[in-house]
Amino acid sequence: MEKINFLNITINNVSLSELLTELSTKGGLIVTPNVDHLVKLQTDSSFLKAYHLADYVVCDSKILQYALKLLGKPIKEKISGSDLFPAFYNYNRDNKDIKIFLLGGMEGVAEKAKNNINQKVGREMVVEALSPSFGFENNIKSV
């Protein structure tokens, strides 16, 4: 898989179909940079660290896609998270090994999404959903 260096991240030059195949066989953490992320990545070291830990960095911005093309580094496809997630669960609807855990959203939203997805795919693909309070990550105590 070709990789493109841009600012301080490396973007995977991959199509949606290629990414779905990779994710379905290998799994992994995906981040989807857009312009807001690119700005934040220049000053937020924790955010940048999360990007560097990701298995896949895919373009979630037409602006970024155009900029890369102008720089002579065209990418195959813009893949937004909102397009990727439904494509992923539909692609894997019959793969009983694929399970999803939903985390986040306003109270009740993750549970509703769980029910909707499971109904669409015809099985219990989403095994659990949790909508913790905003800032929940700060409630975790170090061991």
Side-chain angles (χ1 to χ4, degrees):
M1 183 180 314
E2 179 190 6
K3 296 184 177 194
I4 298 171
N5 294 317
F6 184 71
L7 296 175
N8 51 356
I9 61 171
T10 302
I11 299 170
N12 297 97
N13 191 3
V14 63
S15 68
L16 178 58
S17 62
E18 292 168 334
L19 182 59
L20 290 172
T21 300
E22 285 271 327
L23 284 174
S24 300
T25 56
K26 298 177 183 175
L29 171 66
I30 306 162
V31 292
T32 56
N34 57 32
V35 174
D36 291 334
H37 284 202
L38 290 174
V39 171
K40 187 173 182 174
L41 287 164
Q42 305 314 304
T43 58
D44 187 329
S45 61
S46 295
F47 197 47
L48 181 60
K49 183 178 179 182
Y51 260 75
H52 288 164
L53 292 173
D55 299 297
Y56 305 97
V57 179
V58 297
C59 177
D60 187 3
S61 165
K62 280 288 191 188
I63 294 170
L64 177 54
Q65 183 180 25
Y66 293 141
L68 290 169
K69 185 176 182 178
L70 286 172
L71 292 171
K73 301 176 180 183
I75 60 166
K76 293 179 181 179
E77 193 172 346
K78 172 191 145 315
I79 305 171
S80 64
S82 60
D83 293 332
L84 174 60
F85 187 58
F88 178 78
Y89 66 70
N90 283 312
Y91 181 87
N92 287 289
R93 74 179 334 121
D94 297 321
N95 183 345
K96 304 295 184 205
D97 293 330
I98 298 293
K99 309 253 188 286
I100 297 171
F101 176 85
L102 297 177
L103 174 65
M106 293 175 56
E107 186 175 338
V109 172
E111 188 67 32
K112 185 174 181 179
K114 171 188 170 186
N115 294 334
N116 288 341
I117 292 166
N118 287 342
Q119 183 178 8
K120 286 178 185 178
V121 299
R123 69 179 182 92
E124 296 296 311
M125 177 183 267
V126 180
V127 295
E128 192 57 67
L130 179 64
S131 296
S133 62
F134 183 76
F136 74 95
E137 70 278 7
N138 297 320
N139 297 334
I140 299 171
K141 296 185 173 143
S142 299
V143 176

Coordinates of all heavy atoms in Angstrom, one line a residue, residues 33-35 59-68 77-78:
P33 N -8.0 12.1 8.5 CA -7.7 13.5 8.6 C -8.5 14.4 7.7 O -8.8 14.0 6.6 CB -6.2 13.5 8.2 CG -6.0 12.3 7.4 CD -7.0 11.3 8.0
N34 N -8.9 15.5 8.2 CA -9.5 16.6 7.4 C -8.8 17.8 7.7 O -7.7 17.8 8.4 CB -11.0 16.7 7.8 CG -11.3 17.0 9.3 OD1 -10.5 17.6 10.0 ND2 -12.4 16.5 9.8
V35 N -9.2 19.0 7.3 CA -8.4 20.2 7.4 C -8.3 20.6 8.9 O -7.3 21.0 9.4 CB -9.1 21.3 6.6 CG1 -8.4 22.7 6.9 CG2 -9.0 21.0 5.1
C59 N -7.7 9.8 3.8 CA -8.1 11.2 3.6 C -9.6 11.3 3.7 O -10.4 10.7 3.0 CB -7.7 11.6 2.1 SG -8.2 13.2 1.7
D60 N -10.0 12.2 4.6 CA -11.4 12.5 4.8 C -11.8 14.0 4.4 O -12.5 14.7 5.0 CB -11.8 12.3 6.3 CG -13.3 12.5 6.6 OD1 -14.0 12.7 5.7 OD2 -13.6 12.4 7.8
S61 N -11.1 14.5 3.3 CA -11.3 15.9 3.0 C -11.1 16.1 1.5 O -10.0 15.7 1.0 CB -10.4 16.7 3.8 OG -10.2 18.0 3.2
K62 N -12.0 16.6 0.8 CA -11.8 17.0 -0.6 C -10.7 18.0 -0.7 O -10.0 18.0 -1.7 CB -13.1 17.6 -1.2 CG -14.1 16.5 -1.6 CD -13.6 15.8 -2.8 CE -14.7 14.9 -3.4 NZ -14.2 14.0 -4.5
I63 N -10.7 19.0 0.2 CA -9.6 20.0 0.2 C -8.2 19.3 0.3 O -7.3 19.7 -0.5 CB -9.8 21.0 1.3 CG1 -11.1 21.8 1.1 CG2 -8.6 22.0 1.4 CD1 -11.5 22.6 2.3
L64 N -8.1 18.4 1.2 CA -6.8 17.7 1.3 C -6.5 16.9 0.0 O -5.4 16.8 -0.5 CB -6.8 16.8 2.5 CG -5.6 15.9 2.8 CD1 -4.3 16.7 2.8 CD2 -5.8 15.1 4.1
Q65 N -7.6 16.3 -0.5 CA -7.4 15.5 -1.8 C -6.9 16.4 -2.9 O -6.0 16.0 -3.6 CB -8.7 14.8 -2.1 CG -8.7 14.0 -3.4 CD -10.0 13.3 -3.7 OE1 -11.1 13.9 -3.3 NE2 -10.0 12.2 -4.4
Y66 N -7.5 17.6 -3.0 CA -7.1 18.5 -4.1 C -5.6 19.0 -3.8 O -4.9 19.2 -4.7 CB -8.0 19.7 -4.1 CG -9.4 19.3 -4.6 CD1 -10.5 19.9 -4.1 CD2 -9.6 18.4 -5.7 CE1 -11.8 19.6 -4.5 CE2 -10.9 18.1 -6.1 CZ -12.0 18.7 -5.5 OH -13.2 18.4 -6.0
A67 N -5.3 19.3 -2.5 CA -4.0 19.8 -2.2 C -2.9 18.7 -2.6 O -1.9 19.1 -3.2 CB -3.9 20.1 -0.7
L68 N -3.2 17.5 -2.3 CA -2.3 16.4 -2.6 C -2.1 16.3 -4.1 O -1.0 16.1 -4.6 CB -2.7 15.1 -2.0 CG -2.6 15.0 -0.5 CD1 -3.3 13.8 0.1 CD2 -1.1 15.0 0.0
E77 N -8.7 7.9 -3.5 CA -10.1 8.2 -3.1 C -10.1 8.9 -1.8 O -9.3 8.6 -0.9 CB -10.8 6.8 -3.0 CG -12.2 6.8 -2.9 CD -12.8 5.4 -3.0 OE1 -12.1 4.5 -3.5 OE2 -14.0 5.3 -2.7
K78 N -11.1 9.8 -1.7 CA -11.4 10.4 -0.4 C -12.3 9.4 0.4 O -13.3 8.9 -0.2 CB -12.2 11.7 -0.6 CG -12.7 12.3 0.7 CD -13.7 13.4 0.3 CE -14.9 13.6 1.2 NZ -15.7 12.5 1.6

